[in-house]
Amino acid sequence: MEIQYVIINFCILALLIILFCRKFIFKLFKSRREKIYRELNEAEQIEAIELPAPPDLCFENNFNQNNTVLEAERKLGRDKIAQIEAFGERECRELHRIMIEKTKDKFFDIMHKKVADVFCTEPFLTDMRKKEQLIIDEILGMIKLTPGDMAYLRYHEVLYVTLTSAHKLDDELVSKVDKATIELLNSVGGKTSLWVREDPALIGGLRLRIGDTVYDGTVEEALYHFKKGIKREPITTDEAAKEVLAEFEEKAIGFKTKISVYQLGRVMQVSDGICWMDGLADIMYGEVVEFECGECGMVLDIQPDRIGCVIFGEYENIESGSRVRRVGRIASVPVGEALLGRVLDAIGNPIDGEGHLFVTDRRPIECKAPAILDRAPVKRPLHTGIKAVDSLVPIGRGQRELIIGDRQTGKSAIAVDTIINQKGKNTVCIYVAIGQKETTVAEIKEKLQKYGAMEYTIIVAANASGSAATQYIAPFSGTAMAEYFMYLGRDVLIVYDDLSKHAVAYRELSLLLHRPSGREAYPGDIFYLHSRLLERSACLSEKAGGGSITALPIIETLAGDISAYIPTNVISITDGQIFLESELFNGGQRPAINVGLSVSRVGGSAQTKLMKQMTGSLRTRLAQYRELADFTQLGTDIDDATMKTLNSGAHLMEALKQNRYQPLEDWKQALLIFAVSEGFSETVPLDNMDDFEAGLFEFFLAFYMPIVEKLKSGNKADDALIAEMRSALNIFRERL
C-alpha cells in the first residue's frame, strides 16, 4: 500500500513539474536544438560538394595537383548560377564563401591524417627520434620565468612542468629537462614538479610547458601554423593551388624544428558571449586569445583570480575546461587601400562575397589619440552638400559633429548624403553600422554604389544579429582604418551609426562581466569609452602629416529627450550637434533640423568666405520666423510687417528643403540663399520653390557664367559682384 502511495505521489509531482516548468524546459533546450538543426543543414550542404581526393603523400612522387580544393570551387561556381535564382545574389555569395571555407577544412583534415600516418612509419619515425635531442637543447636554451610565473611562486612553492612527446622519451632526455628546470627554479627559490606525458596527436617532436608558457617544437604545431596560412590565402587559380600543395609537400618532407613560444590557459565558464579563464597571468587588456575550437576573443577584464573575455564568434562551440591560447597581439584590423569599396565585419573580414582581401598591414583597434601639439585648428570646410547643414551648422575637416534625434527622423540620411557629396574630393569615407539590420546595410551599400560613392567608402557592419562583442569593437575598428589614411596625410570622414546601440552593447558586456552599474544601468566608464573613441578624430598639423578625421556620430533619442544619459555625454564630447525634430519631420521639412538646438562650435571657420557672407543673418531670421509662426497660431491679427516677415521666413524654410541623394555645390547654395534672402522669391508660391531653384541655376549657368566662376572661387563677394547678382536676379524674376 505504501508503495502505491509513493508511485501516486511521484506521478503527481512529475505532472506538476511538467505543467509549471514546461516553458523553462523548452527555453533551456531551444538553443541546443537550433544548433543541432543548423549543423545538420551545414552537413547536408557539405555533403553535396565533391571533395577533392586526398593526394598520395608518397615522397617519391609529387602531389597529385589535379585533386585540389580548386575542383570544389569550380563545382560551386557552376552550382552558383542555379542557387542565385532561389536565394538571390547576396545570399548565394555568402553561401559560396561558407562552403569554400568548409571545403578547405575538410581538405586540411585529410592532409593532416596522411602526414600523421606517414610520420609513424620508417624512416621518418627514426629521423624524428634523432631530432629530439636537438629540440631539447634548443628549448632549454630558451626557457625563462615570466612575471606571471614569479607571481605564482609567491603564493605557491611549486611550479609545474610538463614534458610531452608523441612517443616514449629516453630517460637521459627526461633527466636533462628535469635538471635544467630545477636549476631555473632554484635561482628564484622555487621548486619544480616534472610531469612526462605521451600524446600521439603531436605526431613528432617535443612540447615543454613551464607554468603557463609552452615551448612547442612538434609537427602538430607546424601544421597548426600551416593551416592558419591556408585560411589567409585565397585559392582561386591553378597556380595558387600548386603553390599551396608545394609548400605542404616541403613542410612534410623536410620537416625542420621551429620552436613556437606561447601561453596556455583554461576555460572556467562560458555563457552569453562571455568567457572566464584562469592562467595567462601575463596577458594584457585588449589582447586576442584563441580557443581550441578556433573561435577568437578579446580580453576585457583582468581580475586577480580570473580573466574575462568577450567572444567574437559562436560561444556555443567553446566548452568549459578546454584550453585557450594567447595569440600574442592586441586586437587589430587590416588596413590599406584594398579596403575601399568593401563591406567588412567588426574584425575586418570581408562579408560582401566579393573575394579575398589582399592586405598586409594591420593596425590595433585601440590607439592613443593625437596629442594637442600634433593638432591644428579646424579651418577647412567639409561640404555636406546639404543646404541646411552647410549654411547653419557648418562642418570642418577634423570636427566631431553629433547628429541627434528620434527614430526615423533622417539621421542616417544626412550621413549618407554627406558621403555621396565627397565624390571627387579625395576624401575617404567609412560608414560604421552598429546594430543595424542586414537589409538596411545592403540598401545603403546599393545607394552608395548607384551614386559612385563606394569607390572611396568602407562599410564596417556589426549587424543586429551579431554579438554584443562585435557591436562593441566595430567603431574602434572603423577608427583604426581611418587613422591609417589620416597619418598618410589624407582626409577621412567616418560615420558611427549609431552610438546609442554601441552604448547598449557595452552595457550588456559590462553587466555580464559583473562590473558595477550606474545611471540607467550603464557602467561608470561609458563616458570614457566614447571620449577615447571620438578624441581620435582630429585635424593634424602639417608637421604631423596634415591629415584629418571628421566624425559624425549618431545618437537616437526617445521623445526628443536630449537630457538623457548617453545624449548628454556625447554632446559634451563633440564640437556641436545637428538636432532633428520629429515635429518638423512630420510637417514635411527635410532635413528636419531644429535651428535653435543645432550648433557648430567651429562656426564660420568651417565655411568659405562666400557662404559665411551669404548666411550671416540666416539663423536669426529663421529663429524670428519660428517665434512669429508660433505666436500667430493664437489667431491674433497680423500687420503687414509681420506678414512680410512670415512670408520671407516661409520661403527660406522651403528653400532649405532638399531631397535625398541630391547634394548641392557650395556656390549653388550661396546663390539660392542670397536670392531668397533678398526677396526675389516672394511672389513664388511655396509649392513652386523647387522649380524656382532649378530655374535659377539653369539661368545663371546659361547666361551669367562670369558670375558663376566668381562664386565658385568661394571668395567674399565685393560690392560690384553683389550688384551684378541683383541685376541678374531682377531679370530672372521678370522671366518667371
Side-chain angles (χ1 to χ4, degrees), residues 443-717:
E443 290 173 2
I444 291 174
K445 180 191 175 183
E446 181 183 353
K447 290 298 182 183
L448 293 178
Q449 283 180 330
K450 179 180 179 181
Y451 294 97
M454 276 303 293
E455 299 174 359
Y456 53 86
T457 303
I458 305 169
I459 297 179
V460 180
N463 298 321
S465 59
S467 65
T470 57
Q471 295 181 34
Y472 162 70
I473 70 167
F476 294 98
S477 300
T479 306
M481 299 172 189
E483 286 176 329
Y484 169 82
F485 295 101
M486 179 181 71
Y487 286 110
L488 289 179
R490 300 182 64 178
D491 295 318
V492 184
L493 169 67
I494 184 167
V495 178
Y496 304 108
D497 189 7
D498 63 53
L499 290 187
S500 300
K501 295 183 177 65
H502 180 242
V504 171
Y506 185 64
R507 174 173 63 182
E508 179 181 342
L509 293 176
S510 297
L511 293 176
L512 290 171
L513 289 169
H514 302 165
R515 294 178 180 175
S517 58
R519 179 179 169 186
E520 297 181 19
Y522 289 103
D525 63 340
I526 189 71
F527 180 88
Y528 174 63
L529 175 77
H530 286 155
S531 66
R532 78 171 187 263
L533 171 67
L534 295 173
E535 283 295 330
R536 293 163 68 178
S537 301
C539 179
L540 297 182
S541 62
E542 292 297 329
K543 185 177 180 181
S548 69
I549 295 179
T550 306
L552 295 180
I554 295 176
I555 289 290
E556 182 178 305
T557 57
L558 183 62
D561 183 14
I562 62 174
S563 63
Y565 188 35
I566 300 302
T568 53
N569 278 349
V570 182
I571 286 173
S572 63
I573 297 169
T574 52
D575 306 315
Q577 66 273 352
I578 300 172
F579 182 73
L580 303 178
E581 189 175 1
S582 299
E583 183 179 347
L584 289 174
F585 185 87
N586 296 331
Q589 188 71 27
R590 305 285 194 281
I593 297 179
N594 184 310
V595 180
L597 295 178
S598 300
V599 64
S600 173
R601 296 188 180 95
V602 176
S605 299
Q607 287 179 308
T608 61
K609 294 180 180 179
L610 175 66
M611 181 64 79
K612 186 177 180 180
Q613 177 187 11
M614 298 300 178
T615 61
S617 61
L618 181 60
R619 180 182 289 272
T620 303
R621 297 180 66 176
L622 289 175
Q624 185 180 14
Y625 163 73
R626 289 291 300 274
E627 184 178 354
L628 288 175
D630 292 340
F631 179 74
T632 55
Q633 290 180 354
L634 300 176
T636 56
D637 294 335
I638 304 174
D639 56 25
D640 293 340
T642 303
M643 182 61 70
K644 184 177 180 180
T645 302
L646 287 172
N647 184 47
S648 176
H651 280 82
L652 279 173
M653 291 291 291
E654 198 67 28
L656 291 178
K657 288 184 179 181
Q658 191 167 348
N659 295 325
R660 293 194 64 180
Y661 317 120
Q662 296 180 8
L664 279 181
E665 297 177 62
D666 198 58
W667 72 268
K668 289 184 177 181
Q669 298 181 36
L671 175 61
L672 176 63
I673 292 173
F674 176 80
V676 177
S677 299
E678 292 292 319
F680 291 98
S681 63
E682 288 183 352
T683 59
V684 178
L686 294 179
D687 294 339
N688 295 339
M689 282 299 294
D690 287 342
D691 297 334
F692 173 83
E693 178 181 331
L696 177 67
F697 300 148
E698 292 177 1
F699 177 75
F700 270 79
L701 288 171
F703 303 106
Y704 291 94
M705 277 304 297
I707 296 179
V708 172
E709 293 298 331
K710 293 179 182 178
L711 293 176
K712 285 184 177 180
S713 67
N715 296 323
K716 185 176 181 179

Side-chain angles (χ1 to χ4, degrees), residues 22-252:
R22 62 184 187 277
K23 293 184 178 180
F24 174 77
I25 295 172
F26 178 78
K27 292 180 180 179
L28 185 64
F29 291 99
K30 181 181 178 181
S31 61
R32 180 62 180 172
R33 186 172 62 255
E34 291 176 350
K35 179 184 177 183
I36 293 172
Y37 288 157
R38 184 170 63 252
E39 291 178 349
L40 287 174
N41 291 333
E42 292 179 356
E44 291 176 358
Q45 294 173 355
I46 295 300
E47 288 176 358
I49 305 174
E50 294 180 4
L51 286 173
D56 185 12
L57 194 61
C58 176
F59 299 115
E60 297 177 358
N61 301 316
N62 292 329
F63 285 100
N64 181 4
Q65 296 178 345
N66 294 324
N67 297 322
T68 65
V69 181
L70 195 61
E71 293 299 324
E73 291 189 344
R74 286 171 177 159
K75 183 181 185 302
L76 287 172
R78 294 191 298 267
D79 295 343
K80 181 180 178 182
I81 299 174
Q83 292 170 346
I84 288 175
E85 299 178 357
F87 302 106
E89 178 72 19
R90 185 170 61 87
E91 292 80 0
C92 185
R93 283 180 176 177
E94 182 64 17
L95 178 63
H96 182 257
R97 182 187 67 81
I98 293 173
M99 297 179 75
I100 288 297
E101 292 299 322
K102 294 286 186 181
T103 306
K104 286 182 179 180
D105 291 338
K106 286 277 188 180
F107 174 71
F108 182 81
D109 291 340
I110 294 170
M111 303 299 290
H112 185 281
K113 185 177 184 303
K114 273 289 186 181
V115 171
D117 294 340
V118 169
F119 272 92
C120 292
T121 61
E122 298 293 346
F124 305 103
L125 178 59
T126 303
D127 184 59
M128 286 302 304
R129 298 302 301 269
K130 290 179 180 179
K131 292 180 180 179
E132 290 176 352
Q133 179 66 50
L134 298 176
I135 298 174
I136 285 292
D137 292 339
E138 187 174 356
I139 290 177
L140 295 181
M142 300 172 63
I143 61 173
K144 60 181 180 180
L145 294 178
T146 65
D149 295 333
M150 302 295 291
Y152 183 85
L153 288 172
R154 291 181 183 177
Y155 303 97
H156 307 83
E157 295 182 357
V158 179
L159 188 66
Y160 292 96
V161 178
T162 305
L163 178 61
T164 311
S165 63
H167 310 282
K168 185 176 180 180
L169 294 174
D170 296 335
D171 294 339
E172 182 181 350
L173 291 179
V174 176
S175 299
K176 189 173 184 178
V177 173
D178 192 20
K179 181 179 178 182
T181 54
I182 289 174
E183 291 177 356
L184 180 66
L185 269 296
N186 285 338
S187 62
V188 295
K191 298 179 182 179
T192 180
S193 176
L194 178 63
W195 293 57
V196 181
R197 297 177 59 247
E198 293 182 28
D199 186 0
L202 301 183
I203 302 176
L206 297 171
R207 175 185 292 165
L208 179 65
R209 177 174 179 178
I210 303 177
D212 293 335
T213 307
V214 179
Y215 303 87
D216 202 327
T218 62
V219 177
E220 178 69 17
E221 179 67 12
L223 292 176
Y224 165 81
H225 290 288
F226 180 72
K227 184 176 182 179
K228 288 291 183 184
I230 289 181
K231 289 285 189 179
R232 292 190 293 267
E233 293 294 330
I235 304 178
T236 56
T237 63
D238 288 329
E239 290 73 15
K242 291 176 181 179
E243 290 178 4
V244 171
L245 290 171
E247 183 181 356
F248 195 97
E249 181 181 11
E250 180 183 355
K251 286 183 178 294

